[in-house]
Amino acid sequence: MLARIGHIAYNTYREAVRDRVLYNLVFFALLLVGSTPLFGQISIGLERIVLVNLGLTSISIFGTVIAIFIGIGLVSKEIERKTLYTVLSRPVRRWEFLLGKYFGLAGTLAVNTFFMAIGFFAALLYLNHAFGRSDGQLLVAIYFIVLQFLIITAITLLFSSFSSPLLSALFAFALFFIGNFADDLRGLAGILKGTQHWLVMGLSYLVPNFGAMNVISQVAHEQAVSGALVLQNSIYALFYATAALSAAIMIFERRNLK
Amino acid sequence: MNAIEISGLQKSYSVGFFRKTEKVALKDLSLEVHEGEIFGYLGPNGAGKTTTLKLLMGLMFPTRGWAKILGKDIDDPLVRASVGFLPEQPYFYDYLTAAELLEYYAQLSGVPAKERGARARKMLERVGLAGSENTQLRKFSKGMLQRAGIAQAIVHDPKILFLDEPMSGLDPIGRREVRDLIQELHDEGKTIFFSTHILSDAETLCDRVAVLNKGELRGIGVVADLLADSGNKVEVVWQGSAATAAVCALNAECHTTGEIARAIVAKTMLDAAIDAIRRAKGNLISVTPVQTTLEEYFLKRIEQGATAGGNAKADSAVLEVKT
Amino acid sequence: MSQSAIFKKPVMYVASGLLLASMTMATLTAHRLDEMRPQATLMDVIYIQSPRAVKVMSLGYTGLAACVYWTRAVQYFGEKHVLRSKRLDLLPKLLDLTVSLDPHLLPAYEFGAIFLAQKPPEGAGMPDEAVKLVERGIRANPDYWKLYYSLGFIHFIERKDYKAAEKAFDEGSKIPGAHPWMKVMAAAMAARAGDIESARFLWTQIYEGSDDKWIRRNALSRLIALRVDDDVIHLDKMVQGYVKKTGSSPSSWQNLVAMGWLQGAPLDPAGEPYELQPGGRVVVHDISKFPFIEHGIPEGENRSEFIGPAADKVLEKPGIAPK
C-alpha cells in the first residue's frame, strides 16, 4: 500500500517536473525574485521591505498557480486521457491513487518553493551583503506559504475528483481568493442576523482560512511571528488538508469513470 | 473454473437535466469465459462493450448483478494483479519514456524490483517497440501508443487480458502483428477477452464470441457452431457444361466459366445434383459446405434485435468489415 | 459491488470519520487563530494605501472589495470604541478606500460620517473629515437627499456652523423625494433658534431611522441629554423668577412648590431630583448618567462624551425612548 502510494507520488513528481509549463513558471518566478533588488532601488530606504514583499508574494502567487494548474491535471486529466484506467485496473485502490497524487504534487511544490526561496535569499544577500537575525522570520513566512500550498493542493484534488479541469481551476482560484478574506466573512456575519448570519458564518469556516498564514507584510517590517501562530497554523493546515482529502476520497471512491 | 463469470450485470445512468430519464447502457448481462480461450466481444460502436469492460475493471459500478474473475469478486483489488487491461485508444503520461512507463506499471502491479527493468525491455521488444525505450511518449504515434498499451497490459504477466479494440489505430501490418501477438499469448495459456467492432479479427482469432447490441446480449457461442448453424448449402464444382441446365433446375445459383461450372444448392438437393452431373458425364471437381461469414450472422442478429427497436439500417451501417 | 453498496466500504467509513473530525478540528483551530490574531495582525497599519492599487488587486470585484473594507472600517471603529481609544487615525483612510472602491456604498457615507464626526470616544472627533466624506458622497450620488441631511447634521451638531447646515438642509430639500422636514430644518437653521428643538428633531430622526444598535443607543443618549438641557433651562428660569419676586435665591425646591410653580422636587430622566445649589444653580445629581449635556453640569465636573455603564442603565429605563 505505502509502496504503491510512493510509486504514484514519485511518478506524479517526475511528470510535473518534466512538464515545460512548470519550467516557465519557475523561471518567471526566479526572474521576478531576482529582479527585486532593482525595484528596491526605486524606493529609497525601503529596499528590504520591497524585496521581501515582492519576493515572497511572487513565491506565493506562482506556487499557487503551479499548484492549481498541475493539481487539476491530477485526476481530471488522467480520466480524460484514460491513463487512470490503466492504473486502476491494477491492484491499486482509488484512495491510494489520490493520496499518491497528493504527495507527488506536494513534493513538486516543496522542491519548487525550495528553488524559489534560494533565489529570494540570494537576492536578499545581494542587497544586504549579510543575513541579519530577523531574516530567520522569512523562513517562517515561506513555511506558511508552503502550508497554503498543501491546502490548495488538497482543494484542487477535491474539485478535480468530480469536476472538469476548467471548472476545477475556477473553483480552486475562487476558494484561494475567498480564503484570504475568511476572517472578513466572519466580520460580515457579525453584522448579519438570523439565517444569513449562520450561512455566512458556516461558509467562513468551510473555506480555507488563509488570513493567519499571510505574514509577508509582518516579516517585511521585521516583526516577529509568534511560535503559537506557527503551531496553530500547522495544525490548521494539517486538519484542513485531511478534511479536503477525505472528501475527495469519498467522492472519488464512488465515481463512475465514464 | 471459469476465467470470467458475469451474472445479471446491469448498468443504467440517470441522464437529463434533472436526472430523471434512465438510460440503460448494459442490460442484464450473463456470460462465462473459460480459462485459456480467446473470447470475442462483438458489437457496433455504442453497444455497451466498453461499459462491460469498465464494470469488470472496477472503473464503474454496476446498478445490479455481479461478476467474478478467476473465482474472485471483482471488488477485490488483488484480483487485478492477474489482470491486464488495454483501454480503447490509450494515451499515456507525455513526459515518461516507454521504459519508465512500463516500469511504473510493473511497480503498481507488484512485479519484484529486480525483474522490472528486464521485463519492461522484453515487453517493448515483443510489441515491436525495441529501440524506442528511451523516447518520451509524447513523441509516439497513435500506432506506437497502441503497442505501448498492449505492452503495459502484459508487463506483469497476467493470467487474463482484457483488450478494448486492440486493433484500432493500427495499419494493416500492425493489425496482423497484434493478431499474431494475441495468438501467441493464447498459446502461452492466457485467457483473452477482447472487444471489437471489426468482425474479421474475431473470426480469425476467437474460440467463442458474444454479440452485443444496444446493451443487450444477442447471441453467444463457438464461432464454428454459430456459422454451421446457419449454413445449409453446399457448393458443387464440376467440368462439363452438359449438366448445367439439369443442375440449375434444382433451384440453385449457377455460374459458368468456360468448361467449369459452379452451383450452390441446398444440402437436401446435393444427391440429385450429383446424379444429374453423372448422368451428363460431367467431371465432379469438389463439394464443399458453404459457410456463412460471421458478418452475415452478426447482421442477422442485430437486425433481429433492431426490428423491435427500429432503425436497423443505421445500426448495421456502423459495422466495419475489414480483412 | 453495486453503486449503492460502495457506501459500506471500510474506506468510506474511515474517510467520513476523518472528514468530520478534521473539519471540526480545523474550525476550532480557525477560531483560535482568530483569537490570536488581534495581537498578531490587526495592527494599526493599512498595507495598501492607494485606492487605485486596491482596485487593481481586487481584479475588478470592487464591490466585494468595498464591502470588505467597509466591514474592516466598522470592525476597526468597534474595536477602538471598546478599548475607549481616543485615536482612530486609520478610520478616514479605511473609509476613503471603501468609497473609492464603491462610490455608491451609501451606508459608508452616512454611518462613516457619524463615526468620524463625533468627539472621542464615541467617534473619531474629525468633523472636517466627516464633511469631506459626505461631500464626496454627494458628488457621487447627487440624487440621494439623505446625504445632505447627514451633512447638515454634522455642520449643526458637531461644527455649530448654522449657515453651512442651513445650506445643506436647503439643498437637500430640493431633491425630489426628500422628506418635508428637511425644509423645516433649513428654516430652523436660518432662524439660529430652537437649538434644542432642532437637535431633538434630528436625533429623533436618527433614532427612528436606524436599526443599528450602536447608532440607536447613541441617539437615545443624545435625546436624554437634550431633555436634561431643556429641564435645566426651564428650572433656571423659574429660579430667576423667584429671585425677581422675592429678592433672594430659593433654598430648596420647597420654596418653589410653595409658590405653586412646582408640584414637588423636579426629577431628572434617571428618576433622581435635580439639585438646587446655594446661589440658585440647578445641576444634575450624577453627571456620569448624562453624557453630552450642556446645561446642569455640577461645579468641578466636565461635560462627558462617553456613554458609560451608569448612562447605559438610564438608557434601559422603561419608557425612556421616544414613542
Side-chain angles (χ1 to χ4, degrees), chain B residues 9-272:
Chain B
L9 205 61
Q10 181 144 332
K11 179 70 192 173
S12 43
Y13 306 108
S14 302
V15 290
F17 190 73
F18 294 107
R19 302 189 159 261
K20 275 188 173 162
T21 331
E22 193 157 90
K23 183 178 170 273
V24 181
L26 190 67
K27 199 172 174 187
D28 198 23
L29 177 76
S30 297
L31 59 83
E32 284 164 10
V33 175
H34 312 309
E35 232 168 325
E37 74 177 343
I38 302 183
F39 190 88
Y41 200 49
L42 306 179
N45 290 328
K49 301 186 303 273
T50 299
T51 302
T52 312
L53 282 167
K54 282 184 178 175
L55 287 169
L56 289 175
M57 291 300 106
L59 299 172
M60 279 186 182
F61 306 102
T63 322
R64 264 207 298 281
W66 54 264
K68 282 181 177 181
I69 294 176
L70 296 170
K72 280 187 202 143
D73 203 276
I74 47 169
D75 299 331
D76 187 350
L78 295 178
V79 165
R80 297 202 279 271
S82 36
V83 162
F85 174 51
L86 168 72
E88 191 180 356
Q89 291 174 355
Y91 211 77
F92 299 105
Y93 305 95
D94 280 345
Y95 294 94
L96 295 194
T97 67
E100 283 171 341
L101 179 82
L102 287 199
E103 280 182 50
Y104 172 53
Y105 283 130
Q107 285 171 342
L108 294 185
S109 287
V111 175
K114 283 179 286 180
E115 297 174 29
R116 280 175 210 151
R119 193 82 78 83
R121 272 191 303 282
K122 200 178 127 200
M123 292 306 153
L124 286 172
E125 203 185 305
R126 201 167 173 185
V127 297
L129 287 176
S132 304
E133 291 96 338
N134 297 318
T135 311
Q136 287 195 353
L137 290 155
R138 65 200 160 94
K139 293 176 186 154
F140 270 34
S141 69
K142 223 178 157 194
M144 288 167 88
L145 282 175
Q146 186 76 17
R147 287 163 193 260
I150 296 170
Q152 64 81 29
I154 56 176
V155 70
H156 50 297
D157 195 23
K159 289 197 183 106
I160 305 186
L161 273 172
F162 290 88
L163 311 173
D164 199 357
E165 302 280 1
M167 263 78 90
S168 74
L170 294 173
D171 55 29
I173 300 168
R175 296 161 62 79
R176 226 206 24 240
E177 283 173 3
V178 169
R179 219 180 285 178
D180 293 347
L181 184 64
I182 292 175
Q183 197 63 56
E184 262 176 56
L185 292 165
H186 175 239
D187 295 343
E188 286 167 22
K190 297 192 198 310
T191 310
I192 293 155
F193 181 100
F194 82 91
S195 83
T196 184
H197 64 287
I198 300 166
L199 300 162
S200 55
D201 293 339
E203 209 171 333
T204 40
L205 276 171
C206 295
D207 299 314
R208 288 199 308 144
V209 293
V211 178
L212 197 72
N213 189 37
K214 290 192 170 172
E216 272 184 271
L217 191 64
R218 298 276 182 226
I220 182 167
V222 176
V223 174
D225 287 353
L226 289 179
L227 302 181
D229 191 42
S230 52
N232 285 320
K233 294 185 174 173
V234 275
E235 186 189 47
V236 187
V237 183
W238 72 97
Q239 200 180 13
S241 51
T244 312
V247 176
C248 290
L250 296 167
N251 202 13
E253 296 172 48
C254 293
H255 305 274
T256 5
T257 327
E259 276 294 280
I260 307 291
R262 283 190 309 141
I264 294 170
V265 296
K267 260 182 187 164
T268 47
M269 295 293 177
L270 180 60
D271 286 341

Side-chain angles (χ1 to χ4, degrees), chain C residues 140-179:
Chain C
N141 308 275
D143 298 335
Y144 192 67
W145 64 268
K146 279 193 179 170
L147 289 177
Y148 285 97
Y149 164 72
S150 298
L151 185 62
F153 176 82
I154 295 159
H155 281 310
F156 167 45
I157 301 283
E158 303 295 343
R159 299 184 70 242
K160 312 280 183 213
D161 184 344
Y162 302 110
K163 204 167 177 183
E166 183 205 336
K167 192 165 164 264
F169 285 122
D170 184 49
E171 279 176 20
S173 72
K174 289 175 190 156
I175 292 170
H179 202 280

Side-chain angles (χ1 to χ4, degrees), chain C residues 78-93:
Chain C
E79 211 159 292
K80 292 287 177 181
H81 185 236
V82 168
L83 296 171
R84 294 200 203 177
S85 169
K86 296 212 158 118
R87 293 182 60 90
L88 290 98
D89 302 344
L90 286 187
L91 192 59
K93 191 77 216 174

Side-chain angles (χ1 to χ4, degrees), chain A residues 94-95 177 180-181 183-184 186-188 191 193 205-207 209 211-215 217-218 221 223 226 228-233 235-236 238-240 242-244 246-247 249-251 253-256, chain C residues 3 6-7 9 11-12 14-23 25-34 36-37 39-41 43 45 47 57-59 61 64-65 67-68 70-72 74-75 211-212:
Chain A
R94 289 186 177 199
W95 60 267
F177 185 75
N180 278 297
F181 295 105
D183 44 340
D184 285 312
R186 277 193 279 287
L188 183 67
I191 301 172
K193 290 189 180 73
Y205 282 111
L206 203 60
V207 300
N209 283 242
M213 288 185 189
N214 194 340
V215 291
S217 312
Q218 204 177 330
H221 292 285
Q223 286 166 333
S226 74
L229 194 67
V230 175
L231 179 72
Q232 295 295 332
N233 268 333
I235 293 175
Y236 181 76
L238 177 73
F239 282 119
Y240 195 90
T242 308
S246 307
I249 287 170
M250 288 177 71
I251 294 170
E253 280 284 346
R254 53 185 301 263
R255 176 165 176 186
N256 283 302
Chain C
Q3 186 77 62
I6 301 165
F7 286 113
K9 267 165 98 170
V11 61
M12 293 300 262
V14 174
S16 52
L18 265 179
L19 174 63
L20 270 178
S22 48
M23 206 57 225
M25 287 305 291
T27 305
L28 291 176
T29 317
H31 189 70
R32 181 168 298 177
L33 280 166
D34 273 358
M36 285 172 66
R37 288 214 303 147
Q39 311 108 46
T41 54
M43 294 166 300
V45 181
Y47 294 113
M57 289 187 64
S58 63
L59 306 167
Y61 298 102
L64 179 67
C67 290
V68 168
W70 172 236
T71 312
R72 281 211 170 143
V74 173
Q75 277 178 315
D211 289 333
D212 186 88

Side-chain angles (χ1 to χ4, degrees), chain A residues 75 94-102 157 245 248-249 252:
Chain A
V75 179
R94 289 186 177 199
W95 60 267
E96 291 174 345
F97 172 78
L98 273 190
L99 288 187
K101 285 277 149 188
Y102 179 73
L157 207 55
L245 284 176
I249 287 170
F252 193 57

Side-chain angles (χ1 to χ4, degrees), chain A residues 68 72 76 156 159-161 163-173:
Chain A
I68 292 176
I72 50 170
S76 33
T156 317
F159 284 130
S160 56
S161 70
S163 177
S164 73
L166 186 67
L167 283 178
S168 303
L170 278 175
F171 285 150
F173 273 116

